[in-house]
Amino acid sequence: MDERDDDLGSFDPNIPEEGPSAPPPGWLEDIHGYQGHKGGSPEDDNPLYPPPPAYNPQPELNRSTSVPSVRVPSVSEDVAREALLKFVESKWKYSSKPARNLRFKDLKPVTVYRYRLETYTETRASAWQFESYNGQPVDGPQYGMSPPPWDIPVSLPQIYTDKVEKIRVPHSSFVKVCHKCHGCGRTRCTGCFGRGQKRCTFCNGHGRTRNKRCTSCHGRGRKRCLSCRGDGYKTCTVCHGAQNLLHFIQLTVTWKNNISDFIPDRQPDFPDKKFEKVSGDPFFIDENVLKIIYVLAQIQMDKWGQKMFQ
C-alpha cells in the first residue's frame, strides 16, 4: 500500500468482510432423522430417502388389468391420396402429378403395436434452507421431534402427472446469526475495500494529466465508489439487514412419470416421432402399485451401491 492509498481513507473495522453465501460445514445443528446433511450449499447437500418397508402396498389389492376390444382401422382412397399429396409437397424435388393420377388397387391396414411402460415414481429429498429472521414464529425442536421424511403428509397429485412440492419439515427450525455478515447486517464493500472512494483510473490518483487538472476526478485523484455509493459498505445480501437467519430443513417431494416406449417390428421408413403424434387404441393395460415403489427403492439401492464401491 502506498501513500496514495492512505489518501482514500480508512475502512470501519466494525464492518466485516463478506463471508460465504452458504453456511459452512458444521455451522448448523443436527436434526434427529436428518443427520445425513453436511451443511454448505443446498445443491451439494440433498440426500434422498428410500421409503420404509411398511410403506409398500400389497399388489393384490391394487391390481388393475383390462383388455379392451381393438378396432381394425380403415382408410378410404380420398384419405390415402390426401396423405400422399402432403408427403409429396414436403419434398421439393417430387412432382405431385403421379400422386394425383395414381389408381389404388388395394389398401391393406397394418397394425403396429407399441409397448409403453409408465413408471410413476415419488422421491423425497431434503436440504437446509434459510430466510431472514424478522420475528416470525420459530417451529423448533422444543415443540417435538421432527417426523421422518416419509411420515410427512402431502397431497397426492393426479396420477401420472409430474409435480414438485416443497414442504418445511416440522420442528426443524432455529435462529442463528447470519454467517455472511456475522450479525452486523452489512458487509464491507469489495469494490473500494470499505473506504467509499476509489483511485481515479484516468489520472492514476495524481489529479492531473498532461499538466492539466483531471476532468474525471476534478483534480482530487479519487472518485466515489459507485458500487456502494460512497458508503463503504453494503446491506448483507443473505439476511438483507436482519442480522439473523431462520434455518429450517425443506423436504422436496417429486412426482415424475417416467415413460419408456418400445416398438417391435417397426417399419424402417416410419420415424419414431410419428408414433408420438398417434394416440391409437389401448390393447392391454396392466397397473400395479407395488411396481412403482419397487422401482423407486431399486434406484435408491443402486445409488448406494455405487457410493460403497467408489
Side-chain angles (χ1 to χ4, degrees), residues 50-51 56 292-304:
N56 295 347
I292 300 175
I293 304 300
Y294 174 77
V295 171
L296 172 60
Q298 187 65 38
I299 292 175
Q300 302 292 340
M301 293 300 295
D302 290 344
K303 290 185 177 180
W304 289 347

Side-chain angles (χ1 to χ4, degrees), residues 264-278:
D265 301 329
R266 59 177 297 273
Q267 299 295 327
D269 297 334
F270 196 85
D272 291 344
K273 293 184 178 180
K274 297 293 184 179
F275 286 101
E276 298 177 359
K277 301 179 181 180
V278 180

Side-chain angles (χ1 to χ4, degrees), residues 178-252:
C178 178
H179 54 272
K180 187 169 187 178
C181 66
H182 303 288
C184 185
R186 53 187 182 177
T187 56
R188 194 181 307 165
C189 177
T190 57
C192 63
F193 301 100
R195 293 183 173 89
Q197 297 179 348
K198 300 177 66 175
R199 183 190 304 176
C200 178
T201 57
F202 192 76
C203 65
N204 199 24
H206 296 288
R208 301 180 66 84
T209 57
R210 298 180 180 179
N211 296 326
K212 294 182 180 180
R213 188 177 67 170
C214 178
T215 57
S216 179
C217 63
H218 304 287
R220 292 190 295 268
R222 58 187 182 273
K223 299 175 66 175
R224 187 180 66 169
C225 178
L226 298 178
S227 180
C228 64
R229 299 181 180 180
D231 295 329
Y233 61 87
K234 296 181 180 180
T235 303
C236 179
T237 57
V238 172
C239 68
H240 304 288
Q243 302 180 355
N244 295 312
L245 294 174
L246 176 63
H247 296 268
F248 58 91
I249 294 180
Q250 181 174 268
L251 181 68
T252 302

Side-chain angles (χ1 to χ4, degrees), residues 5 21 77 138 156 220:
D5 291 332
S21 58
E77 291 188 5
V138 181
L156 298 178
R220 292 190 295 268

Side-chain angles (χ1 to χ4, degrees), residues 1-9 199 203-206:
M1 181 182 300
D2 54 24
E3 294 180 356
R4 286 177 296 179
D5 291 332
D6 295 336
D7 295 337
L8 296 179
R199 183 190 304 176
C203 65
N204 199 24
H206 296 288

